[in-house]
Amino acid sequence: MKKITSRRFHKMFSLVIGIQLLLWTVSGLIFSWNPIDKVRGENRVAERKLPDLSKQDLLPLNPILNDPKLVPVGDTVESVVVGHMLDWPVYQIGVRNSEGSYHVLCNAATGERLSPIPREVAEKVALEDFAEPAKVKKTVLLEEPQGSHSEYRKRELPAWKIELDHSSGTVIYVSADRGTVVTRRNNRWRLFDFFWMLHTMDFQGRDNFNSWLLRIMSVMGVISVLSGYWLWYRGKRRNGKPKSRGPATRSRPRPSAP
C-alpha cells in the first residue's frame, strides 16, 4: 500500500475540489463580462415621455375606493399608486383580505375597472416597453406558481408571458392586475442564471447562498490553496539548502604499465 504523503494528499484533494474551483472561476468570468443592465434587459427599455397627470381630469379617490365593484366590502385598501398604462391614467389599488393581497387597476379618468388586463392590452404594454422593432411570437397567461428552475420564479401572479420575435430571445412579463412590466428575460439572463446556479451550488432554487454544500466546498477550496502554498514553501526551503556530501575518499594510484 502506497504511503499517502503530503504531496500525494494535495493532488488527490485538489482533484476533488478542482472542478468546482474551475466553475467558480468561469462563472466569475461570465459575470464580469455581462453588464447587469444587459442581463436584466434594461438596455432595451424604450424611453417614453409620460403625460403630465396634473393636467388631466382624474376622479377623486373616495368614490373609487368606496365602489364595491373595485374594492369589495370588508377588504382593506393598503396602497394607491397613480400612473399610466399605455395612454390611460390609472389607479393601482393595493388591497388585502383574509386570503392575502391583490391589486385592482382602474381608469383614473372614468373609474372603469381594467384588471385583469386582456391579452391584447398586455401585448401592447410589452411592445411599448421594448425599444427595438419586434413582433409578438407567443403569449401565455401564468396563473400558477412557477417551478424553482423557471425564469419567472417567485414573481407575482397572474402575469402575461409575452415572448418576442427577436434575436435576443426577450420575454417580457406583464402583471395582469397592475398592467405594468414585472420583469424581462433574455438569452444573456439565461446564461447568467445557469452559471449563477453553478456558482451558488444551489441546484434546486438557485438563490440559496448559505447552503452547507457551498460552505463545505468553500472550506475545501481554501484548504487546497493553502496546502499548495505550503508544499511550494517547503520545496523552496529544501532546494535552498546545500547538498550534503559524503566523506572524502582517497583514490588509489593506478599501477603504471610495465
Side-chain angles (χ1 to χ4, degrees):
M1 183 177 180
K2 291 185 178 180
K3 181 181 178 181
I4 301 180
T5 61
S6 56
R7 188 172 296 276
R8 183 174 178 82
F9 170 79
H10 173 73
K11 289 182 178 179
M12 295 171 60
F13 193 79
S14 298
L15 183 62
V16 175
I17 191 63
I19 297 176
Q20 186 57 41
L21 289 176
L22 176 62
L23 291 176
W24 280 334
T25 304
V26 172
S27 59
L29 185 65
I30 295 294
F31 300 157
S32 64
W33 279 86
N34 281 279
I36 195 64
D37 63 321
K38 293 184 178 180
V39 171
R40 294 172 178 168
E42 295 171 353
N43 62 313
R44 289 191 171 95
V45 175
E47 295 184 4
R48 181 170 177 256
K49 187 177 180 180
L50 297 177
D52 188 359
L53 289 173
S54 63
K55 297 180 180 179
Q56 299 188 16
D57 295 328
L58 305 182
L59 292 177
L61 278 175
N62 284 336
I64 289 179
L65 298 182
N66 292 322
D67 186 348
K69 295 179 181 179
L70 297 176
V71 182
V73 178
D75 291 3
T76 304
V77 175
E78 293 186 319
S79 63
V80 178
V81 177
V82 185
H84 272 89
M85 185 184 70
L86 302 178
D87 295 326
W88 307 325
V90 295
Y91 288 134
Q92 294 179 9
I93 307 171
V95 186
R96 173 177 288 277
N97 58 19
S98 58
E99 297 180 357
S101 297
Y102 64 96
H103 285 87
V104 174
L105 186 71
C106 73
N107 191 314
T110 65
E112 177 189 1
R113 178 166 180 158
L114 302 175
S115 61
I117 62 173
R119 175 196 301 263
E120 295 77 13
V121 173
E123 291 176 350
K124 288 180 180 179
V125 171
L127 291 175
E128 188 179 71
D129 179 79
F130 199 62
E132 300 179 10
K135 294 182 179 180
V136 175
K137 185 177 181 180
K138 184 179 180 182
T139 303
V140 178
L141 178 62
L142 305 179
E143 298 180 282
E144 299 296 331
Q146 303 300 293
S148 59
H149 293 286
S150 168
E151 64 182 26
Y152 192 71
R153 57 186 180 270
K154 298 179 182 179
R155 297 282 181 169
E156 68 175 275
L157 296 168
W160 288 101
K161 176 183 178 182
I162 297 113
E163 183 179 347
L164 301 183
D165 189 7
H166 192 266
S167 59
S168 63
T170 296
V171 177
I172 298 178
Y173 293 87
V174 178
S175 169
D177 288 339
R178 295 188 298 115
T180 57
V181 174
V182 179
T183 191
R184 308 164 186 87
R185 297 292 183 249
N186 53 47
N187 292 333
R188 277 182 182 265
W189 185 92
R190 296 178 190 102
L191 178 68
F192 190 99
D193 186 58
F194 175 75
F195 279 97
W196 177 253
M197 176 188 66
L198 298 179
H199 197 83
T200 61
M201 301 188 72
D202 182 8
F203 305 108
Q204 297 300 321
R206 302 193 181 203
D207 298 320
N208 184 8
F209 211 75
N210 303 105
S211 66
W212 279 107
L213 178 60
L214 180 61
R215 293 174 180 178
I216 292 172
M217 294 299 286
S218 300
V219 172
M220 291 176 65
V222 172
I223 294 173
S224 176
V225 173
L226 293 179
S227 63
Y229 276 119
W230 180 74
L231 288 173
W232 169 79
Y233 175 73
R234 194 179 69 170
K236 186 177 180 181
R237 288 192 61 185
R238 283 183 177 179
N239 294 333
K241 291 182 179 180
K243 294 182 179 180
S244 58
R245 297 181 179 180
T249 55
R250 292 183 181 181
S251 58
R252 300 179 63 182
R254 298 177 62 184
S256 57

